[in-house]
Amino acid sequence: AEAVPLDALYGMLKALGVDAGDPGQLEQRLAEGADRLKALLADTAVLDSSDAQILTLSELAKEAEAEGAISVALDFRNRASERAKQLSGSLDDTQAQLAQRRKELAATFASNAATAVVAFDFAQAAERYRQAYDEVAPFDIDLALRYQRGEGDALQNVGEFSGDNAALLRAVEVYSDALRIADIGSDPDNWGALQNNMGRTLRILGQREADPARLNQSVEALTAALTARTRTRAPFDWAETQTNLGGTLTALGARTQVNDILEQAVAAYTAALEVQSKDRTPLDWAKTQNNLGAALQRLGERQETNDTLERALAAFNAALEVRTPETTPYLWATTQLNLGTSLSTLAKRAKDPALFEQADAAFNNALTQWTRERVPLDWAMAQTTLGALYQAWGDLEQGTDRLLLAEQHERAALEVYTPDVSPADRALVMDDLGWTLALIGKRTNDRTRLEEGRSLIIEAWDFYKSSGQGLDNYFKARIDAIDGVLASLA
C-alpha cells in the first residue's frame, strides 16, 4: 500500500528482531517504517562525496538497503561516519572548498542517521543527526535546521517508546533551538513541522506528569503550527496537526471537569476528517477515527445518556475497518483497547454481563500484540484497564474471584509504572488497586488488605493534591469508607 520494496521492509523488521514471516509478530511501527524507508531511499540516492572511501561505503550501504540487509547497511554507514569524523578534523581548504566538504561529511552522517532510524536505533540516529548539524551549521542554515529536526524527532522516539523522559526533554530543547533560527516567512514548511513535532513531544511529557503545564505548552505549539500548516497551502499537514491538537486537548480534558476542552478535541478531529479519507489516506483516517472515539469516550463518561458513547463505538469500529491484526497489529491493539474501555463504561451503567464479556475480549485482544517485552508502557495500560474492568464487574457479583483478578492486573501495572517513568499513571493505578483491596478486605474481613488499600489511596491522594485537580472530596470519601469498615472490625 505504501509502495516500498518488500526486501527493504522485511530487512527493517529483521534488524529489529521481528519475524517478518509471522503476521502476528509484525513490529508495531510497520506503517511508519514504510514512510521512513521511502525517505531513506530518496535521501541516500543523492549522497555525494569527494572521498573515495566514503563513496564506496555509501554505495555498499545503498545496495544493502535495497536488498533488505538493513543491519549490514547500518554497519557500512557507521564506517562511513567514522571516516567522516577523521576527515572533519583535518580540513584546511579554502573557505568555499571547506563549506562544500563539510556538507559532504554532513550528508554522510545524515545518511547514517536515516538508516539507523529504519533499524529502530533512534539513539544512534539522534547522535548522527547532531554530527551532521555541527558540520554545516556555520555554512548552510537550511540544511542545519533539517538535521536539527531529525535529531529532535529521533529523541522523541527514544523517549516515547522507552519511557526516557530525559530524551523527551532534550528533544524539546532541540526543537526550541531550531525555532529560534527558523523563519515562518521564508520556510513555513520547516517552521510548521518543528512546531508540530515539539507540540507532540510536549504532549507525551505532559501525559506523564501531574502538572498540566506541558500540555498547555503543547496546545500553544500546535496552534502556532496551524498558522503555517494551513488547510489551503498544506491540507494533509494541517490535518496531521489538527489530529495532534485533538490528542493534547483530550489529555487536558481528561484532567479536568471542563467538557468544553473535550468538545474542542472532537472539533479538531472532525476537522481533520474533512481532509483525510478512507480511500486516499487510510492509515491517517483510521488514526483520527480512533482518536475521535477516545475524545467522545471521555465526554460520554461524563454524560447521563449513552449517545456520545455510542458515537465513540462507531468511530472505533470505523478505525478497525483499516486497522487489522494482519496489517497493523499494534494499531489494531490500540483501537481494541479503546473499544474495550467504551464497552466497559456501558457495561457498568447497564450492569450487563454480556457487555462486560465484550469489553474483556477487546482488552485481551490488545494484549495479544502488547507484550511487556515489546511495549511495556502499553502493556501496563492494558493491565490497568483490565484491572478496572474486573473491579467493576466483581463489585456487582458475590465472592472475590474477579476482584482478585483486578488486584493481579493492577499490581502488574505498577511494576512498569514507576515514579520515574510515569508518576501520573502510577497514581491512577494506586488509587484503583487501593479500592480493589478495600473491596476484597470488606468481603473477607481482611484487615491487612484494607490497611494496604488505605495506604495506597493516601499516596495517590498526595500526588493529586500537587496537580490541583480538586479531587479532595473524592479521596476523602474513599478513606472515610475504608475507615468505617476498619472500625467495624475492631
Side-chain angles (χ1 to χ4, degrees):
E2 295 293 335
V4 295
L6 287 179
D7 282 348
L9 193 64
Y10 287 153
M12 179 186 69
L13 297 175
K14 183 178 180 182
L16 188 67
V18 175
D19 180 3
D22 179 2
Q25 293 298 313
L26 287 176
E27 163 56 30
Q28 56 160 327
R29 308 297 282 177
L30 184 61
E32 291 186 12
D35 286 336
R36 291 175 186 144
L37 278 174
K38 286 190 286 188
L40 172 72
L41 296 175
D43 285 349
T44 57
V46 297
L47 180 63
D48 188 20
S49 176
S50 58
D51 183 78
Q53 187 174 340
I54 287 178
L55 279 175
T56 299
L57 289 167
S58 298
E59 286 300 321
L60 289 169
K62 285 168 57 181
E63 292 176 16
E65 287 158 359
E67 294 170 3
I70 299 299
S71 297
V72 175
L74 186 56
D75 179 61
F76 285 133
R77 296 290 184 198
N78 287 335
R79 290 162 61 184
S81 290
E82 289 303 313
R83 174 64 175 166
K85 283 196 288 185
Q86 293 173 7
L87 294 174
S88 179
S90 60
L91 290 179
D92 57 1
D93 296 329
T94 65
Q95 187 68 17
Q97 291 173 323
L98 180 62
Q100 181 57 36
R101 294 295 303 281
R102 293 287 184 193
K103 289 180 183 178
E104 292 173 5
L105 298 180
T108 301
F109 289 127
S111 294
N112 191 169
T115 302
V117 166
V118 170
F120 295 86
D121 190 346
F122 298 115
Q124 182 180 167
E127 179 184 355
R128 295 305 189 200
Y129 275 126
R130 168 53 57 174
Q131 290 171 321
Y133 168 84
D134 289 340
E135 291 291 337
V136 300
F139 306 106
D140 190 323
I141 194 59
D142 291 336
L143 262 181
L145 286 172
R146 175 185 173 190
Y147 297 147
Q148 204 166 22
R149 189 172 115 203
E151 180 190 7
D153 293 349
L155 288 166
Q156 180 193 101
N157 277 284
V158 172
E160 181 175 8
F161 296 109
S162 69
D164 186 346
N165 291 343
L168 293 174
L169 289 169
R170 176 61 186 144
V172 171
E173 290 178 6
V174 170
Y175 292 136
S176 298
D177 288 345
L179 283 166
R180 279 191 277 272
I181 301 170
D183 180 61
I184 187 174
S186 61
D187 191 4
D189 290 337
N190 195 42
W191 189 90
L194 285 165
Q195 290 282 8
N196 176 79
N197 296 0
M198 183 164 72
R200 188 174 183 278
T201 305
L202 286 164
R203 184 188 77 219
I204 297 167
L205 265 173
Q207 287 174 311
R208 297 177 183 176
E209 298 173 341
D211 190 336
R214 293 198 204 276
L215 292 176
N216 288 317
Q217 292 168 11
S218 173
V219 171
E220 292 174 6
L222 293 167
T223 302
L226 289 171
T227 64
R229 293 182 147 194
T230 65
R231 182 172 179 175
T232 302
R233 65 176 301 277
F236 292 106
D237 290 341
W238 173 84
E240 178 193 7
T241 301
Q242 288 285 2
T243 298
N244 285 332
L245 178 60
T248 301
L249 290 168
T250 301
L252 269 174
R255 297 271 185 98
T256 70
Q257 295 303 310
V258 182
N259 289 350
D260 286 350
I261 298 177
L262 291 174
E263 289 168 356
Q264 291 171 35
V266 170
Y269 291 133
T270 303
L273 288 170
E274 294 173 4
V275 170
Q276 298 164 343
S277 69
K278 183 180 177 182
D279 295 331
R280 290 186 62 188
T281 55
L283 294 177
D284 290 338
W285 177 85
K287 175 183 177 181
T288 305
Q289 289 283 6
N290 174 79
N291 295 351
L292 171 62
L296 289 167
Q297 171 194 305
R298 291 283 188 182
L299 195 57
E301 288 172 348
R302 300 176 182 178
Q303 298 171 341
E304 294 183 1
T305 63
N306 293 335
D307 294 350
T308 303
L309 285 171
E310 294 291 348
R311 288 172 61 197
L313 291 179
F316 294 138
N317 284 316
L320 289 171
E321 294 173 13
V322 172
R323 294 181 165 189
T324 69
E326 294 78 22
T327 58
T328 55
Y330 174 82
L331 300 176
W332 171 80
T334 302
T335 304
Q336 286 287 345
L337 183 98
N338 289 336
L339 178 67
T341 302
S342 289
L343 287 166
S344 176
T345 301
L346 288 169
K348 294 172 193 175
R349 289 182 177 181
K351 298 179 174 56
D352 185 341
L355 287 173
F356 277 112
E357 294 282 359
Q358 291 175 39
D360 190 19
F363 290 143
N364 279 289
N365 280 342
L367 282 168
T368 63
Q369 299 299 327
W370 286 3
T371 65
R372 182 171 182 176
E373 294 72 25
R374 292 171 63 194
V375 282
L377 291 174
D378 293 325
W379 177 85
M381 185 193 308
Q383 298 297 325
T384 301
T385 53
L386 265 173
L389 177 75
Y390 290 136
Q391 182 197 96
W393 201 349
D395 196 25
L396 297 174
E397 299 178 332
Q398 300 297 318
T400 60
D401 288 352
R402 295 201 200 275
L403 292 175
L404 290 170
L405 283 174
E407 177 188 358
Q408 173 187 325
H409 287 289
E410 287 157 354
R411 289 193 188 279
L414 288 177
E415 294 174 7
V416 173
Y417 287 148
T418 64
D420 293 334
V421 170
S422 190
D425 289 317
R426 182 174 180 81
L428 172 68
V429 179
M430 283 193 299
D431 177 45
D432 282 348
L433 175 58
W435 193 245
T436 297
L437 292 172
L439 292 173
I440 296 171
K442 181 180 179 180
R443 290 187 181 179
T444 60
N445 294 325
D446 186 337
R447 176 176 287 275
T448 299
R449 272 198 166 91
L450 285 161
E451 290 176 345
E452 183 187 0
R454 187 183 193 281
S455 177
L456 287 167
I457 293 172
I458 288 289
E459 190 174 347
W461 190 1
D462 288 341
F463 173 86
Y464 282 105
K465 284 177 182 176
S466 66
S467 71
Q469 295 184 41
L471 296 175
D472 286 350
N473 290 337
Y474 163 84
F475 281 106
K476 187 177 185 304
R478 289 207 151 182
I479 295 300
D480 287 347
I482 295 173
D483 286 346
V485 177
L486 285 170
S488 70
L489 297 179

